[in-house]
Amino acid sequence: SYVAAQNGNDVTLTIDVKVQSIAEKYLAQAVTDNKADGGNALIMNPSTGDILAMATYPDYNLNEPYTINTNELKEKWDTLSSSEKNDALYTMWNNPAVQSTYEPGSTFKLITAAAALEEGIITSDNGGDFYCSGSEPVSGIHINCWRNYDPHGSQNLKEALANSCNPAFIQLGRKIGAETLYKYYNGFGLFNKTNSYFYGESGSVFFDENNINEYNLATMSFGQRFTITPIQLISAISAIANEGTLMQPRIVKEIKNTDTGAITTIEPKEIRQVISKETAETMMEMLEYVVTDGTGRYAAVTGYSVGGKSGTSEPLSGNEDEGYVAS
């Protein structure tokens, strides 16, 4: 039987072409300048979950998907088997923002801090809650602060976040406990895919809650030894910027039937209230302090109120070839 061709629908995305082009330009520059293997940038509207930009570098031309995008791969292409070539192409086509998982490092300290504030375990500015001597003993192992050569000493939570001090967050993780941390990980949507309708979205990998030891709890508190996707993290952090409300990421805004002109609008979808508006406001003040007085100074923009958090995750001992991940 013959089935006549049907007209396709018109799709309107949430992507802002100007923001997208800027993200692509400066991501490429950052990867090149820092001699990194690659990178990705995600920009989201916290109040709607709209993805305004999603960039990856090195990228490739969608009109020529079999053209290799790096000199390194071009040089060894003829030596690869057919299965290796297939794997290389699928890796090139991969969208790291939704398909690749990574250890978020210190950017994840925002989740730990938000959980502690929401539970009333600590306040942001109570002096001397933490002490950094340059390292923190955990199960017989000393976990260093990045500034172990010049320890931070006595700090409150606001200062510890601005200093990105691992010992302070290890101490905070002990105060909170694994059960409560996992309650907030779940609340922020970190155990589930975001259901953003992106193709091939990956899930996170966390420790089994029943098997978390002291060392696992310590590393989790500052964002290491588990993996999440960038889209999971930006959704969680956007919830803090959205007065504590988690939104589902949105990439398709409208679908138009080209025959009838009927338009189907995909409305923003609220998932849940994760933390209170008051906790979110305190977090935003702390994030601004990170930029004005802490490790995020390079994010400052004259005339704008900017909040941020830097992060660097280290590879496991023995896996140094994997390199660091900077956020």
Side-chain angles (χ1 to χ4, degrees):
S1 59
Y2 172 74
V3 179
Q6 295 181 334
N7 290 325
N9 293 327
D10 286 344
V11 174
T12 302
L13 301 182
T14 60
I15 295 291
D16 182 310
V17 67
K18 291 181 181 178
V19 178
Q20 177 71 27
S21 64
I22 291 168
E24 289 181 8
K25 175 182 176 180
Y26 288 103
L27 174 64
Q29 180 179 312
V31 171
T32 302
D33 289 351
N34 291 282
K35 298 180 174 62
D37 292 333
N40 68 88
L42 258 170
I43 300 175
M44 177 184 280
N45 180 337
S47 61
T48 61
D50 284 1
I51 303 295
L52 303 179
M54 180 179 283
T56 296
Y57 190 84
D59 54 8
Y60 66 96
N61 187 340
L62 289 165
N63 297 304
E64 300 174 355
Y66 294 94
T67 300
I68 306 307
N69 63 350
T70 66
N71 291 329
E72 182 184 6
L73 189 55
K74 287 177 183 176
E75 289 172 3
K76 65 179 182 180
W77 186 255
D78 292 336
T79 67
L80 300 179
S81 66
S82 58
S83 63
E84 288 172 331
K85 288 179 179 178
N86 269 339
D87 290 343
L89 285 171
Y90 278 109
T91 299
M92 185 177 78
W93 298 333
N94 188 43
N95 181 359
V98 296
Q99 292 178 282
S100 297
T101 60
Y102 75 116
E103 295 186 18
S106 292
T107 52
F108 199 76
K109 287 172 180 168
L110 306 187
I111 305 300
T112 308
L117 289 170
E118 184 69 13
E119 289 292 310
I121 291 169
I122 203 164
T123 61
S124 65
D125 53 4
N126 190 30
D129 279 330
F130 309 104
Y131 188 81
C132 170
S133 63
S135 67
E136 184 73 15
V138 180
S139 299
I141 300 170
H142 281 267
I143 299 178
N144 285 336
C145 179
W146 67 271
R147 214 177 77 175
N148 62 319
Y149 57 88
D150 181 19
H152 294 113
S154 180
Q155 306 165 95
N156 58 33
L157 180 59
K158 183 178 180 180
E159 292 165 336
L161 188 67
N163 293 329
S164 201
C165 179
N166 283 354
F169 274 83
I170 293 171
Q171 294 163 27
L172 183 58
R174 289 196 192 109
K175 291 175 184 286
I176 302 170
E179 183 178 353
T180 301
L181 279 174
Y182 269 49
K183 179 179 81 172
Y184 283 91
Y185 294 172
N186 186 54
F188 278 110
L190 297 168
F191 291 148
N192 304 303
K193 297 177 182 178
T194 64
N195 294 320
S196 54
Y197 302 103
F198 284 103
Y199 173 78
E201 183 180 352
S202 297
S204 56
V205 180
F206 280 86
F207 303 113
D208 185 315
E209 185 181 348
N210 298 317
N211 295 321
I212 295 174
N213 57 34
E214 185 185 12
Y215 186 79
N216 299 151
L217 178 59
T219 56
M220 279 191 328
S221 300
F222 57 83
Q224 294 216 219
R225 305 304 171 249
F226 63 87
T227 59
I228 58 176
T229 60
I231 199 167
Q232 283 179 310
L233 185 63
I234 195 175
S235 299
I237 302 307
S238 290
I240 295 173
N242 188 35
E243 299 184 339
T245 301
L246 180 70
M247 302 296 293
Q248 181 173 298
R250 184 172 70 151
I251 187 69
V252 176
K253 185 183 292 184
E254 291 179 352
I255 302 172
K256 180 180 180 180
N257 185 312
T258 51
D259 292 324
T260 66
I263 296 176
T264 302
T265 302
I266 312 299
E267 298 291 344
K269 184 177 180 181
E270 183 178 308
I271 305 298
R272 69 181 70 87
Q273 186 82 23
V274 188
I275 56 175
S276 67
K277 180 180 178 181
E278 292 72 25
T279 296
E281 287 175 350
T282 301
M283 285 296 302
M284 294 293 277
E285 291 170 4
M286 290 167 60
L287 290 173
E288 187 171 11
Y289 185 73
V290 171
V291 174
T292 59
D293 291 81
T295 58
R297 287 187 179 91
Y298 287 121
V301 179
T302 302
Y304 288 84
S305 173
V306 179
K309 183 71 192 81
S310 59
T312 309
S313 57
E314 304 174 28
L316 279 165
S317 178
N319 296 342
E320 283 79 7
D321 289 347
E322 292 179 3
Y324 290 79
V325 177
S327 303

